[in-house]
Amino acid sequence: MGFCFSCQRCLHCCSGEPGFVFLSKDDVERACSFLGIGTDEFIGIYCRRIDYGTYFLLSLKERDDYSCIFLDGTGCTIYPARPLQCSTYPFWRGLADDPEAIKAEMRNCPGIGKGRLYTDEEIRGLVALNDSSKPLVLEK
């Protein structure tokens, strides 16, 4: 059955409420390359460590209004190198595979229900791609 989606650049998914954008090693490398900075500098400026007991996961920082550190008035300042979690929205497990969750998310995301139709097979592939991305684990 699938559903239609086309990002409307409303910026809602990048702001408005607290959340985590967990980063994989590939996400960090892509962003560092795009910004022309090293990993330590990137982590120090743009990331926060989320405590998971015996280890930390790396997430992008948020501003006081909960907008992403990379969001400005026109959109994502690292859009070509944005994290996989961002580029696969709304094709996330628990969202894209639940018709009721997608209906509910339509209230927040004007792009759901617009644009091209993503087939169930395409959606499963994008969900699997997002699932396969392993967050970068940092030792305590």
Side-chain angles (χ1 to χ4, degrees):
M1 180 152 177
F3 62 89
C4 294
F5 176 72
S6 176
C7 181
Q8 304 296 297
R9 306 260 180 166
C10 74
L11 310 179
H12 176 78
C13 59
C14 307
S15 63
E17 50 191 58
F20 299 111
V21 176
F22 290 114
L23 302 171
S24 70
K25 182 179 182 219
D26 290 343
D27 290 330
V28 171
E29 289 172 356
R30 201 169 42 256
C32 286
S33 177
F34 181 81
L35 295 168
I37 61 175
T39 302
D40 290 341
E41 185 177 4
F42 176 80
I43 291 171
I45 297 171
Y46 299 110
C47 299
R48 58 187 169 146
R49 289 171 168 82
I50 308 302
D51 192 337
Y52 270 77
T54 58
Y55 59 91
F56 292 104
L57 293 181
L58 209 55
S59 178
L60 290 179
K61 285 182 180 176
E62 296 174 323
R63 294 190 177 96
D64 289 341
D65 66 357
Y66 302 119
S67 64
C68 175
I69 190 78
F70 288 112
L71 185 64
D72 72 9
T74 61
C76 179
T77 59
I78 64 163
Y79 191 82
R82 69 195 183 282
L84 184 64
Q85 181 180 331
C86 302
S87 67
T88 58
Y89 174 84
F91 304 106
W92 298 343
R93 181 165 310 285
L95 178 57
D97 54 359
D98 180 346
E100 292 305 312
I102 282 294
K103 278 186 197 172
E105 190 68 7
M106 285 177 82
R107 290 189 291 270
N108 299 319
C109 176
I112 298 174
K114 293 185 177 143
R116 83 170 183 89
L117 174 66
Y118 285 80
T119 66
D120 285 339
E121 184 177 345
E122 288 175 303
I123 293 169
R124 281 192 299 274
L126 288 164
V127 168
L129 177 64
N130 193 42
D131 284 352
S132 72
S133 179
K134 304 292 182 211
L136 186 60
V137 175
L138 303 175
E139 294 181 9
K140 282 199 159 187

